[in-house]
């Protein structure tokens, strides 16, 4: 069902230029959009695509207003990317399929679990004893919420997520491993989204905590007793080891690893594929990776790195010798 630009602007705001009655049938990227589609320009580097785009309407910043005056329609807004995000939400609401059963017949929900009246439990989900599912929260298919774990309101949990599996805790004894029972749970706040096949382990004694507004991508591992601050986002394949504390409004790039028992301050941003080996107590962007190279060069550089400590001592000795010679 198409939406007119009038309906879109009435719902989301922005300043409309051109034909308010233009019917939009879908959303599309600039380079492929057709005359009955809407797109957006969020960065100046893509303005060449704007000139070539056939989109019926383009969402742009006021700085690009003169470049869209000849178009059939445009929407002017201070943050086109944010506007586009809200447009996707509006579009989904208008085009959503009719809701099925609140709890799918194939789901298993323990009688002692608490599920809000408007929460949705998808096919083959398991909600164990004492678990709490908050208002408006949606569990997609095959989600497991372990015993005594809780999710707040308006969370979205994608297929295959496991919340509350045992943390990785074992004590060594005479060459074998003795299991440490994981007696904590997982507490997840409001407005959290968790990507497919992500695992969040329960705490050993205290709970693993995911605060409000956190966004986790697919295939992320959150170890036991981890604490993730509000509105932090992590991309796919991130691994956070046990008892790490990550602040609010942080970002962790895809494939990065945070070692256990470390602390990341608020507003810390970790580049993709980095390995965080020490606590970071000041906000900022941090990167820790070895540059990609041919294997032969990498082996030579790795061999050189092993000598850095010895070279440092030699340089210190030389500096001392030079200084002593100056004083003679």
């Amino acid at each position: 069902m198409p939406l007119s630009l009038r309906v879109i602007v009435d719902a989301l705001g922005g300043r409309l230029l051109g034909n308010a009655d233009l019917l939009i049938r879908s959303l599309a990227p600039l380079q492929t959009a057709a005359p009955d589609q809407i797109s957006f320009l969020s960065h100046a580097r893509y303005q060449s695509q704007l000139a070539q785009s056939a989109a019926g309407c383009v969402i742009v910043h006021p700085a690009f207003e003169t470049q869209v005056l000849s178009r059939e329609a445009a929407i002017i807004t201070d943050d086109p990317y944010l506007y586009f995000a809200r447009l996707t939400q509006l579009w989904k609401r208008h085009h959503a399929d009719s809701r099925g059963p609140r709890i799918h017949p194939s789901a298993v929900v323990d009688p002692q679990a608490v599920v809000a009246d408007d929460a949705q439990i998808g096919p083959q989900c398991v909600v164990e004893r004492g678990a709490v599912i908050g208002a408006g929260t949606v569990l997609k298919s095959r989600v497991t919420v372990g015993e005594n774990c809780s999710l707040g309101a308006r969370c979205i949990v994608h297929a295959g997520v496991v919340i509350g599996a045992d943390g990785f805790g074992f004590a060594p004894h005479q060459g074998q491993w003795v299991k440490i029972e994981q007696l904590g749970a997982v507490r997840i706040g409001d407005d959290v989204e968790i990507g497919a096949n992500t695992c969040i382990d329960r705490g050993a004694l205290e709970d693993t905590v995911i605060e409000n507004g956190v966004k986790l991508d697919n295939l992320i591992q959150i170890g036991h007793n981890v604490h993730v601050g509000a509105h932090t986002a992590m991309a796919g394949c991130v691994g956070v080891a046990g008892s790490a504390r990550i602040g609010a409004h942080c970002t962790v790039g895809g494939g990065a690893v945070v070692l256990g028992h470390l602390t990341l301050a608020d507003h810390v941003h970790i580049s993709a594929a980095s390995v965080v080996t020490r606590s970071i107590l000041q906000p900022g962007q941090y990167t820790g990776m070895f540059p990609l190279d041919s294997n032969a060069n990498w082996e030579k550089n790795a061999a050189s790195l092993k000598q850095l400590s010895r070279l440092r001592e030699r340089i210190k000795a030389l500096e001392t010798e030079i200084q002593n010679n100056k004083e003679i």
Side-chain angles (χ1 to χ4, degrees), residues 214-266:
V214 168
K215 310 302 181 188
L216 302 179
D217 198 1
N218 303 334
L219 294 167
I220 288 175
Q221 164 64 28
I222 303 293
H224 59 182
N225 299 103
V226 167
H227 190 120
V228 180
H231 306 291
T232 282
M234 300 183 189
C237 297
V238 164
V240 182
S243 298
R245 294 187 65 86
I246 296 176
H249 302 283
C250 295
T251 59
V252 184
V257 173
V258 180
L259 299 188
H261 299 273
L262 300 182
T263 297
L264 273 61
D266 296 347

Side-chain angles (χ1 to χ4, degrees), residues 7-32:
V7 169
I8 291 172
V9 172
D10 285 348
L12 303 179
R15 181 160 53 89
L16 178 62
L17 304 178
N19 182 10
D21 296 319
L22 178 66
L23 293 179
I24 299 298
R25 300 189 183 278
S26 62
L27 288 58
L30 270 175
Q31 63 269 33
T32 60

Side-chain angles (χ1 to χ4, degrees), residues 167-190:
F168 192 67
F170 300 90
H173 176 65
Q174 298 179 355
Q176 299 182 5
W177 298 101
V178 178
K179 183 176 178 59
I180 300 171
E181 292 295 342
Q182 305 294 289
L183 305 179
V186 177
R187 289 188 288 115
I188 296 174
D190 299 337

Side-chain angles (χ1 to χ4, degrees), residues 17-284:
L17 304 178
N19 182 10
D21 296 319
L22 178 66
L23 293 179
I24 299 298
R25 300 189 183 278
S26 62
L27 288 58
L30 270 175
Q31 63 269 33
T32 60
D36 59 354
Q37 294 178 310
I38 187 171
S39 189
F40 71 103
L41 175 67
S42 63
H43 199 284
R45 72 166 67 103
Y46 302 118
Q47 58 184 309
S48 61
Q49 296 179 9
L50 176 62
Q52 300 168 7
S53 178
C57 180
V58 180
I59 305 162
V60 298
H61 187 272
F64 298 100
E65 181 171 344
T66 58
Q67 298 182 37
V68 297
L69 290 176
S70 61
R71 289 184 167 273
E72 183 172 4
I75 296 172
I76 310 300
T77 179
D78 289 337
D79 192 338
Y81 194 54
L82 177 62
Y83 195 101
F84 187 78
R86 289 174 173 160
L87 176 58
T88 63
Q89 296 174 3
L90 175 68
W91 197 268
K92 188 167 184 178
R93 288 196 299 272
H94 276 264
H95 295 83
D97 295 333
S98 59
R99 294 176 62 170
R102 187 174 71 88
I103 299 177
H104 194 275
S106 66
V108 177
V109 179
D110 190 277
Q112 295 184 46
V114 177
V115 179
D117 291 342
D118 60 348
Q120 288 184 272
I121 311 298
Q124 300 180 359
C125 289
V126 176
V127 182
E128 296 184 355
R129 180 182 63 182
V132 177
I133 311 299
T137 285
V138 176
L139 307 186
K140 304 291 188 176
S141 61
R142 297 178 287 103
V143 172
T144 297
V145 181
E147 184 175 350
N148 296 323
C149 296
S150 63
L151 288 93
R154 301 174 302 279
C155 296
I156 301 173
V157 184
H158 291 278
V161 167
V162 177
I163 298 169
D166 278 357
F168 192 67
F170 300 90
H173 176 65
Q174 298 179 355
Q176 299 182 5
W177 298 101
V178 178
K179 183 176 178 59
I180 300 171
E181 292 295 342
Q182 305 294 289
L183 305 179
V186 177
R187 289 188 288 115
I188 296 174
D190 299 337
D191 302 301
V192 172
E193 184 157 353
I194 303 172
N197 293 320
T198 283
C199 296
I200 304 175
D201 290 345
R202 66 175 59 248
L205 296 176
E206 297 180 336
D207 295 342
T208 301
V209 176
I210 310 295
E211 292 189 8
N212 294 345
V214 168
K215 310 302 181 188
L216 302 179
D217 198 1
N218 303 334
L219 294 167
I220 288 175
Q221 164 64 28
I222 303 293
H224 59 182
N225 299 103
V226 167
H227 190 120
V228 180
H231 306 291
T232 282
M234 300 183 189
C237 297
V238 164
V240 182
S243 298
R245 294 187 65 86
I246 296 176
H249 302 283
C250 295
T251 59
V252 184
V257 173
V258 180
L259 299 188
H261 299 273
L262 300 182
T263 297
L264 273 61
D266 296 347
H267 299 283
V268 166
H269 306 288
I270 304 300
S271 298
S274 295
V275 179
V276 181
T277 59
R278 61 176 176 85
S279 291
I280 300 173
L281 305 181
Q282 296 295 326

